[in-house]
Amino acid sequence: MIRCDKCGRRVVVRQKYSGASLCQEHFDQDLYRKIREVLRLTRPFSRGARIAVALGGDCASSCLLRSLKAIFERRKDLEITALLVDEGIEGYRPESLDYASRVADMLDVPWIRLSFRGAFGIDVDDADPKDKCTFCRVGKDALFNYAAVDLRAKALATGETLDDEARAALSICLKGETDQIGRLRRSPCFSIAPRIKPLSRVPAREVGLYARIHGLSGMKNRCPYARCLPVEKVLSGFEAKHPGTRYSLLRSMERMAEMLGPMNGCEKTSEKGYENSHEKSL
Ligand SMILES: [Zn+2]
């Protein structure tokens, strides 16, 4: 039996990229450490702060909510509110959001549910087939930001994993969109509540493992409009042969982003500009 490097108990994970073998307790601590490292890059949360967490019924956002609750367990002055957005995708989203609301209830986190139909008068199902994914992405960003600002949240936390961030970084390189490097660290232009991605240093596989261990595996159904991204296949192949590739890629992009400016700012948009683009988005 393989034993935990730190305490000798039975392992739940072997990390090829670090060489570590960890039991459940030390795996949880390792995941929380990675989240704290990301949170340290943002400003520490002040007394009486509120964090909005985007929750979608998938294992990543459920893992995010549970881990933030665990990390801030002793911060009684810090409030967490979950935001659920119904894009209007039949056979997919209603079930996911029912699950998400149960997760929030189980973790004793208050939640707010918003919908495309209520905000924009149209569901994603009814949008132009060519524009569905863009409409969905931009609309969700707008609704999450609207709700986070309305709550006066100090930050809006979303569930992107290391795999998501590395994929975005490689896509930027492959498309030659070097002007987009800064967006890996900055919030979208129409955001006031700073966007944070606490799971961005945690591999998706470990996010899934954490969720399974803690009974939060989430809905298995996929968005019917989602496409398989070739970039992910390339990255998975590299990661299998060279463990740590995703970390290396993300670190390289973060260093370049640091050279481009401070985190969570938007050099192009003033607060007035936010109001204009926000209204346009809604
Ligand atoms: Zn251990």
Side-chain angles (χ1 to χ4, degrees), residues 37-78:
E37 279 178 9
V38 177
L39 295 177
R40 268 197 289 274
L41 294 173
T42 62
R43 284 168 298 183
F45 295 111
S46 55
R47 286 189 72 79
R50 179 178 286 135
I51 307 173
V53 178
L55 186 65
D58 56 300
C59 70
S61 62
S62 301
C63 166
L64 173 65
L65 189 63
R66 191 190 187 281
S67 52
L68 288 178
K69 276 283 287 185
I71 287 169
F72 293 121
E73 194 180 14
R74 292 181 186 172
R75 288 282 306 269
K76 302 298 179 196
D77 61 308
L78 201 146

Short mmCIF file of all heavy atoms in Angstrom, two decimals, residues 37-78:
data_model
loop_
_atom_site.label_atom_id
_atom_site.label_comp_id
_atom_site.label_asym_id
_atom_site.label_seq_id
_atom_site.Cartn_x
_atom_site.Cartn_y
_atom_site.Cartn_z
N GLU A 37 -2.82 30.63 -1.99
CA GLU A 37 -1.80 31.30 -2.81
C GLU A 37 -2.44 32.25 -3.81
O GLU A 37 -1.96 33.35 -4.03
CB GLU A 37 -0.96 30.26 -3.56
CG GLU A 37 0.12 29.62 -2.72
CD GLU A 37 0.89 28.55 -3.48
OE1 GLU A 37 0.71 28.42 -4.71
OE2 GLU A 37 1.68 27.85 -2.84
N VAL A 38 -3.53 31.80 -4.42
CA VAL A 38 -4.23 32.67 -5.38
C VAL A 38 -4.88 33.84 -4.65
O VAL A 38 -4.81 34.98 -5.11
CB VAL A 38 -5.31 31.86 -6.16
CG1 VAL A 38 -6.09 32.79 -7.09
CG2 VAL A 38 -4.66 30.74 -6.96
N LEU A 39 -5.50 33.55 -3.50
CA LEU A 39 -6.18 34.62 -2.76
C LEU A 39 -5.19 35.68 -2.26
O LEU A 39 -5.55 36.85 -2.14
CB LEU A 39 -6.97 34.04 -1.57
CG LEU A 39 -8.14 33.13 -1.95
CD1 LEU A 39 -8.80 32.57 -0.70
CD2 LEU A 39 -9.17 33.87 -2.78
N ARG A 40 -3.95 35.25 -1.98
CA ARG A 40 -2.94 36.22 -1.53
C ARG A 40 -2.60 37.22 -2.64
O ARG A 40 -2.15 38.32 -2.36
CB ARG A 40 -1.67 35.51 -1.06
CG ARG A 40 -1.70 35.22 0.44
CD ARG A 40 -0.30 34.90 0.95
NE ARG A 40 0.17 33.61 0.50
CZ ARG A 40 -0.09 32.45 1.12
NH1 ARG A 40 -0.79 32.45 2.22
NH2 ARG A 40 0.39 31.32 0.64
N LEU A 41 -2.80 36.79 -3.90
CA LEU A 41 -2.53 37.70 -5.01
C LEU A 41 -3.56 38.83 -5.06
O LEU A 41 -3.30 39.90 -5.59
CB LEU A 41 -2.54 36.94 -6.35
CG LEU A 41 -1.43 35.91 -6.55
CD1 LEU A 41 -1.66 35.13 -7.83
CD2 LEU A 41 -0.06 36.59 -6.58
N THR A 42 -4.77 38.53 -4.55
CA THR A 42 -5.77 39.59 -4.44
C THR A 42 -5.55 40.23 -3.07
O THR A 42 -4.77 39.76 -2.27
CB THR A 42 -7.20 39.03 -4.52
OG1 THR A 42 -7.39 38.16 -3.41
CG2 THR A 42 -7.40 38.25 -5.80
N ARG A 43 -6.28 41.29 -2.80
CA ARG A 43 -6.13 41.89 -1.48
C ARG A 43 -6.85 41.02 -0.45
O ARG A 43 -7.88 40.43 -0.74
CB ARG A 43 -6.75 43.29 -1.48
CG ARG A 43 -5.88 44.31 -2.16
CD ARG A 43 -6.65 45.56 -2.37
NE ARG A 43 -7.80 45.32 -3.25
CZ ARG A 43 -8.64 46.25 -3.66
NH1 ARG A 43 -8.51 47.48 -3.26
NH2 ARG A 43 -9.64 45.97 -4.46
N PRO A 44 -6.33 40.97 0.79
CA PRO A 44 -7.03 40.21 1.83
C PRO A 44 -8.42 40.81 2.04
O PRO A 44 -8.61 42.01 1.87
CB PRO A 44 -6.16 40.42 3.08
CG PRO A 44 -4.87 40.94 2.58
CD PRO A 44 -5.12 41.62 1.28
N PHE A 45 -9.37 39.97 2.38
CA PHE A 45 -10.73 40.46 2.57
C PHE A 45 -10.85 41.18 3.90
O PHE A 45 -10.45 40.68 4.95
CB PHE A 45 -11.73 39.31 2.50
CG PHE A 45 -11.76 38.67 1.14
CD1 PHE A 45 -11.27 37.39 0.94
CD2 PHE A 45 -12.25 39.36 0.04
CE1 PHE A 45 -11.29 36.81 -0.31
CE2 PHE A 45 -12.27 38.80 -1.22
CZ PHE A 45 -11.79 37.52 -1.40
N SER A 46 -11.42 42.39 3.85
CA SER A 46 -11.55 43.21 5.05
C SER A 46 -12.69 42.69 5.93
O SER A 46 -13.46 41.81 5.52
CB SER A 46 -11.83 44.66 4.66
OG SER A 46 -12.97 44.69 3.83
N ARG A 47 -12.81 43.26 7.12
CA ARG A 47 -13.88 42.87 8.05
C ARG A 47 -15.23 43.18 7.42
O ARG A 47 -15.41 44.21 6.77
CB ARG A 47 -13.74 43.63 9.37
CG ARG A 47 -12.60 43.14 10.24
CD ARG A 47 -12.68 43.79 11.61
NE ARG A 47 -13.78 43.25 12.40
CZ ARG A 47 -13.74 42.08 13.04
NH1 ARG A 47 -12.65 41.34 12.99
NH2 ARG A 47 -14.77 41.67 13.72
N GLY A 48 -16.16 42.27 7.61
CA GLY A 48 -17.51 42.49 7.11
C GLY A 48 -17.64 42.35 5.60
O GLY A 48 -18.62 42.79 5.02
N ALA A 49 -16.64 41.73 4.95
CA ALA A 49 -16.68 41.60 3.49
C ALA A 49 -17.63 40.48 3.07
O ALA A 49 -17.93 39.57 3.83
CB ALA A 49 -15.29 41.33 2.96
N ARG A 50 -18.10 40.57 1.83
CA ARG A 50 -18.95 39.53 1.26
C ARG A 50 -18.32 39.04 -0.05
O ARG A 50 -17.83 39.84 -0.83
CB ARG A 50 -20.34 40.08 0.99
CG ARG A 50 -21.28 39.05 0.36
CD ARG A 50 -22.66 39.61 0.15
NE ARG A 50 -23.40 39.73 1.39
CZ ARG A 50 -24.11 40.79 1.73
NH1 ARG A 50 -24.15 41.85 0.96
NH2 ARG A 50 -24.78 40.81 2.87
N ILE A 51 -18.31 37.73 -0.23
CA ILE A 51 -17.80 37.15 -1.47
C ILE A 51 -18.97 36.50 -2.21
O ILE A 51 -19.74 35.74 -1.60
CB ILE A 51 -16.74 36.05 -1.21
CG1 ILE A 51 -15.63 36.57 -0.30
CG2 ILE A 51 -16.13 35.57 -2.51
CD1 ILE A 51 -14.66 35.47 0.13
N ALA A 52 -19.10 36.82 -3.48
CA ALA A 52 -20.11 36.15 -4.31
C ALA A 52 -19.43 34.99 -5.03
O ALA A 52 -18.31 35.14 -5.52
CB ALA A 52 -20.69 37.13 -5.32
N VAL A 53 -20.08 33.84 -5.05
CA VAL A 53 -19.50 32.65 -5.70
C VAL A 53 -20.46 32.15 -6.79
O VAL A 53 -21.64 31.89 -6.51
CB VAL A 53 -19.26 31.52 -4.67
CG1 VAL A 53 -18.71 30.28 -5.37
CG2 VAL A 53 -18.30 31.98 -3.59
N ALA A 54 -19.94 32.07 -8.02
CA ALA A 54 -20.76 31.56 -9.12
C ALA A 54 -20.90 30.04 -8.96
O ALA A 54 -19.90 29.32 -8.91
CB ALA A 54 -20.09 31.88 -10.46
N LEU A 55 -22.14 29.57 -8.84
CA LEU A 55 -22.39 28.15 -8.57
C LEU A 55 -23.29 27.59 -9.67
O LEU A 55 -24.37 28.14 -9.93
CB LEU A 55 -23.07 28.00 -7.20
CG LEU A 55 -23.28 26.59 -6.66
CD1 LEU A 55 -21.95 25.90 -6.40
CD2 LEU A 55 -24.10 26.64 -5.37
N GLY A 56 -22.83 26.49 -10.32
CA GLY A 56 -23.58 26.00 -11.48
C GLY A 56 -23.99 24.55 -11.43
O GLY A 56 -24.51 24.02 -12.40
N GLY A 57 -23.75 23.87 -10.31
CA GLY A 57 -24.14 22.47 -10.23
C GLY A 57 -23.06 21.51 -10.72
O GLY A 57 -23.22 20.30 -10.62
N ASP A 58 -21.97 22.03 -11.25
CA ASP A 58 -20.85 21.18 -11.69
C ASP A 58 -19.92 20.95 -10.50
O ASP A 58 -20.01 21.65 -9.49
CB ASP A 58 -20.08 21.89 -12.82
CG ASP A 58 -19.63 23.26 -12.39
OD1 ASP A 58 -20.49 24.10 -12.05
OD2 ASP A 58 -18.41 23.50 -12.36
N CYS A 59 -19.00 19.99 -10.65
CA CYS A 59 -18.16 19.66 -9.49
C CYS A 59 -17.17 20.78 -9.17
O CYS A 59 -16.82 20.99 -8.01
CB CYS A 59 -17.46 18.32 -9.67
SG CYS A 59 -16.16 18.28 -10.88
N ALA A 60 -16.71 21.55 -10.19
CA ALA A 60 -15.73 22.60 -9.92
C ALA A 60 -16.32 23.72 -9.04
O ALA A 60 -15.70 24.12 -8.05
CB ALA A 60 -15.20 23.19 -11.22
N SER A 61 -17.51 24.20 -9.39
CA SER A 61 -18.06 25.30 -8.59
C SER A 61 -18.51 24.79 -7.22
O SER A 61 -18.44 25.54 -6.23
CB SER A 61 -19.19 26.01 -9.33
OG SER A 61 -20.27 25.16 -9.59
N SER A 62 -18.92 23.53 -7.14
CA SER A 62 -19.28 22.98 -5.82
C SER A 62 -18.04 22.85 -4.95
O SER A 62 -18.06 23.15 -3.75
CB SER A 62 -19.93 21.60 -5.98
OG SER A 62 -21.09 21.68 -6.78
N CYS A 63 -16.93 22.40 -5.57
CA CYS A 63 -15.65 22.30 -4.86
C CYS A 63 -15.21 23.69 -4.39
O CYS A 63 -14.75 23.86 -3.26
CB CYS A 63 -14.59 21.70 -5.80
SG CYS A 63 -12.90 21.88 -5.25
N LEU A 64 -15.38 24.68 -5.27
CA LEU A 64 -15.00 26.06 -4.92
C LEU A 64 -15.76 26.54 -3.69
O LEU A 64 -15.17 27.08 -2.74
CB LEU A 64 -15.29 26.97 -6.12
CG LEU A 64 -15.12 28.47 -5.90
CD1 LEU A 64 -13.67 28.81 -5.61
CD2 LEU A 64 -15.60 29.24 -7.13
N LEU A 65 -17.07 26.34 -3.71
CA LEU A 65 -17.89 26.83 -2.59
C LEU A 65 -17.51 26.13 -1.29
O LEU A 65 -17.32 26.78 -0.26
CB LEU A 65 -19.38 26.60 -2.90
CG LEU A 65 -20.36 27.24 -1.93
CD1 LEU A 65 -20.24 28.77 -1.96
CD2 LEU A 65 -21.80 26.84 -2.24
N ARG A 66 -17.34 24.82 -1.34
CA ARG A 66 -17.02 24.09 -0.11
C ARG A 66 -15.64 24.47 0.43
O ARG A 66 -15.45 24.65 1.63
CB ARG A 66 -17.07 22.57 -0.34
CG ARG A 66 -17.00 21.81 0.98
CD ARG A 66 -16.81 20.32 0.81
NE ARG A 66 -16.92 19.65 2.09
CZ ARG A 66 -15.95 19.60 3.00
NH1 ARG A 66 -14.78 20.21 2.76
NH2 ARG A 66 -16.12 18.98 4.15
N SER A 67 -14.69 24.61 -0.49
CA SER A 67 -13.33 24.91 -0.03
C SER A 67 -13.24 26.33 0.54
O SER A 67 -12.54 26.56 1.54
CB SER A 67 -12.30 24.68 -1.14
OG SER A 67 -12.66 25.35 -2.31
N LEU A 68 -13.95 27.28 -0.07
CA LEU A 68 -13.94 28.65 0.49
C LEU A 68 -14.59 28.66 1.88
O LEU A 68 -14.13 29.36 2.79
CB LEU A 68 -14.66 29.63 -0.45
CG LEU A 68 -13.92 29.99 -1.74
CD1 LEU A 68 -14.77 30.92 -2.60
CD2 LEU A 68 -12.57 30.62 -1.46
N LYS A 69 -15.68 27.88 2.02
CA LYS A 69 -16.31 27.79 3.34
C LYS A 69 -15.33 27.23 4.37
O LYS A 69 -15.26 27.70 5.50
CB LYS A 69 -17.53 26.85 3.26
CG LYS A 69 -18.80 27.50 2.78
CD LYS A 69 -19.49 28.35 3.84
CE LYS A 69 -20.16 27.49 4.91
NZ LYS A 69 -20.92 28.32 5.87
N ALA A 70 -14.57 26.21 3.96
CA ALA A 70 -13.62 25.58 4.88
C ALA A 70 -12.48 26.55 5.23
O ALA A 70 -12.09 26.68 6.39
CB ALA A 70 -13.05 24.31 4.25
N ILE A 71 -11.96 27.25 4.22
CA ILE A 71 -10.83 28.16 4.44
C ILE A 71 -11.23 29.33 5.35
O ILE A 71 -10.47 29.76 6.20
CB ILE A 71 -10.30 28.67 3.08
CG1 ILE A 71 -9.55 27.54 2.37
CG2 ILE A 71 -9.40 29.89 3.24
CD1 ILE A 71 -9.21 27.82 0.92
N PHE A 72 -12.46 29.83 5.14
CA PHE A 72 -12.90 31.00 5.90
C PHE A 72 -13.80 30.62 7.08
O PHE A 72 -14.56 31.46 7.58
CB PHE A 72 -13.63 31.98 4.99
CG PHE A 72 -12.72 32.63 3.97
CD1 PHE A 72 -12.97 32.49 2.62
CD2 PHE A 72 -11.62 33.36 4.37
CE1 PHE A 72 -12.13 33.07 1.67
CE2 PHE A 72 -10.77 33.95 3.44
CZ PHE A 72 -11.03 33.80 2.08
N GLU A 73 -13.69 29.37 7.51
CA GLU A 73 -14.56 28.87 8.58
C GLU A 73 -14.54 29.76 9.83
O GLU A 73 -15.56 29.99 10.47
CB GLU A 73 -14.11 27.45 8.95
CG GLU A 73 -15.10 26.69 9.78
CD GLU A 73 -14.58 25.30 10.09
OE1 GLU A 73 -13.36 25.06 9.88
OE2 GLU A 73 -15.37 24.46 10.57
N ARG A 74 -13.35 30.28 10.15
CA ARG A 74 -13.23 31.07 11.39
C ARG A 74 -13.52 32.54 11.18
O ARG A 74 -13.51 33.31 12.14
CB ARG A 74 -11.84 30.89 11.98
CG ARG A 74 -11.62 29.47 12.48
CD ARG A 74 -10.25 29.31 13.09
NE ARG A 74 -10.02 27.92 13.44
CZ ARG A 74 -8.85 27.45 13.86
NH1 ARG A 74 -7.82 28.26 13.99
NH2 ARG A 74 -8.72 26.18 14.15
N ARG A 75 -13.69 32.95 9.94
CA ARG A 75 -13.99 34.36 9.66
C ARG A 75 -15.51 34.59 9.72
O ARG A 75 -16.18 34.61 8.70
CB ARG A 75 -13.44 34.76 8.29
CG ARG A 75 -11.93 34.88 8.21
CD ARG A 75 -11.44 36.20 8.83
NE ARG A 75 -12.10 37.36 8.26
CZ ARG A 75 -11.64 38.05 7.21
NH1 ARG A 75 -10.53 37.67 6.63
NH2 ARG A 75 -12.28 39.11 6.76
N LYS A 76 -16.03 34.76 10.93
CA LYS A 76 -17.47 34.91 11.08
C LYS A 76 -17.96 36.24 10.49
O LYS A 76 -19.15 36.42 10.25
CB LYS A 76 -17.86 34.84 12.58
CG LYS A 76 -17.44 33.55 13.26
CD LYS A 76 -18.09 32.33 12.65
CE LYS A 76 -17.65 31.04 13.33
NZ LYS A 76 -17.97 29.85 12.54
N ASP A 77 -17.04 37.18 10.28
CA ASP A 77 -17.41 38.48 9.73
C ASP A 77 -17.49 38.45 8.20
O ASP A 77 -17.89 39.42 7.59
CB ASP A 77 -16.37 39.52 10.14
CG ASP A 77 -14.99 39.17 9.62
OD1 ASP A 77 -14.54 38.03 9.84
OD2 ASP A 77 -14.38 40.01 8.93
N LEU A 78 -17.09 37.32 7.61
CA LEU A 78 -17.04 37.25 6.15
C LEU A 78 -18.22 36.43 5.63
O LEU A 78 -18.44 35.30 6.06
CB LEU A 78 -15.72 36.59 5.75
CG LEU A 78 -15.24 36.85 4.33
CD1 LEU A 78 -13.73 36.91 4.31
CD2 LEU A 78 -15.72 35.74 3.43
#
